[in-house]
């Protein structure tokens, strides 16, 4: 099966880790009103913006990978038919 996008698979694990970091940070913001990334790197620092951007890109990457996996699982190749076990004719006689 060919891939729709030529995105390297070696980005999968770092994307998962960045998404987890982002999720934990948002959890802290929601529960405790504490932004861990801003506390470590500064509220308006270039590094904080870079981390937020990387977390967002990681999320987009994972959505694309999930979509590829879903489509590959549900797509049928040409000439492939699913046999239901019944055969029907125009006359209605089986």
């Amino acid at each position: 099966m060919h891939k729709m996008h030529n995105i390297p698979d070696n980005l999968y694990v770092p994307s998962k880790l960045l998404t987890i970091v982002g999720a934990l940070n948002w959890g802290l913001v929601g529960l405790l009103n504490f932004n861990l990334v801003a506390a470590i790197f500064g509220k308006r620092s270039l590094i904080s913006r870079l981390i937020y951007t990387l977390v967002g890109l990681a999320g987009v990457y994972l959505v694309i990978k999930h979509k590829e996996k879903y489509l590959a699982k549900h797509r049928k190749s040409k000439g492939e038919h699913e046999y239901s076990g019944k055969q029907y004719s125009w006359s209605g006689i089986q």
Side-chain angles (χ1 to χ4, degrees), residues 5 12 19 27 29 36 51 61 71 81:
H5 303 282
Y12 187 75
T19 304
V29 169
L36 183 62
I51 291 172
Y61 171 81
L71 289 176
H81 300 285

Side-chain angles (χ1 to χ4, degrees), residues 82-88:
E82 190 174 315
Y83 178 65
S84 66
K86 293 185 179 181
Q87 293 181 353
Y88 298 98

Side-chain angles (χ1 to χ4, degrees), residues 72-84:
K73 186 176 180 181
H74 292 91
R75 185 182 312 130
K76 294 180 183 176
S77 61
K78 285 187 176 181
E80 184 179 330
H81 300 285
E82 190 174 315
Y83 178 65
S84 66

Side-chain angles (χ1 to χ4, degrees), residues 9 15 17 23 26 31-33 42 50 53 58 61 63 65 72 75 81-84 91:
D9 285 333
S15 294
L17 292 174
W26 275 108
L31 290 172
L32 306 174
N33 198 22
L50 179 65
T53 302
Y61 171 81
V63 167
K65 291 303 281 184
R75 185 182 312 130
H81 300 285
E82 190 174 315
Y83 178 65
S84 66
S91 66

